[in-house]
Amino acid sequence: MSAPLPHPEPPKRFSGPHVLVVEDDRASSVLIRAVTLRHVPGASVTVVNDGQAAIDYLSRVPPYHSIELYPHPDLIILDLGLPVLTGFRVL
């Protein structure tokens, strides 16, 4: 398991779909972000590193309270084997 990701950086505003990646492994999240941005025109990606952060994002708990900075995701890519709060518990 990799070191935890730093606090998520707000996505740049795009007109395309927004993807929320919930992944604790940094290499995997970097790969998912790169592939998404390369193959989905206009996409934006936010990465959070545990299930609780995903729940906070979807519930608009600070720091995710701004819909402009943290838009509602069109797609969620969820690791089921997360620490803290597993992907199964998020579902």
Side-chain angles (χ1 to χ4, degrees), residues 26-64:
R26 186 169 179 84
S28 295
S29 65
V30 168
L31 179 62
I32 293 166
R33 177 189 289 262
V35 168
T36 301
L37 294 176
R38 181 174 180 144
H39 294 286
V40 181
S44 59
V45 178
T46 298
V47 177
V48 296
N49 64 351
D50 65 56
Q52 186 59 56
I55 296 294
D56 292 349
Y57 184 102
L58 296 169
S59 301
R60 301 277 166 229
V61 172
Y64 308 109

Side-chain angles (χ1 to χ4, degrees), residues 8-22 32-33 36-37 40-48 57-58 60 64 66-77:
E9 182 178 310
K12 295 177 183 170
R13 296 183 71 187
F14 291 97
S15 59
H18 184 70
V19 179
L20 175 62
V21 177
V22 187
I32 293 166
R33 177 189 289 262
T36 301
L37 294 176
V40 181
S44 59
V45 178
T46 298
V47 177
V48 296
Y57 184 102
L58 296 169
R60 301 277 166 229
Y64 308 109
S66 171
I67 191 78
E68 291 81 23
L69 294 177
Y70 300 101
H72 184 77
D74 298 294
L75 173 68
I76 300 172
I77 299 174

Side-chain angles (χ1 to χ4, degrees), residues 22 24 49-56 78-91:
V22 187
D24 63 316
N49 64 351
D50 65 56
Q52 186 59 56
I55 296 294
D56 292 349
L78 176 64
D79 177 2
L80 297 177
L82 294 165
V84 183
L85 184 65
T86 70
F88 287 107
R89 300 287 300 225
V90 171
L91 293 174

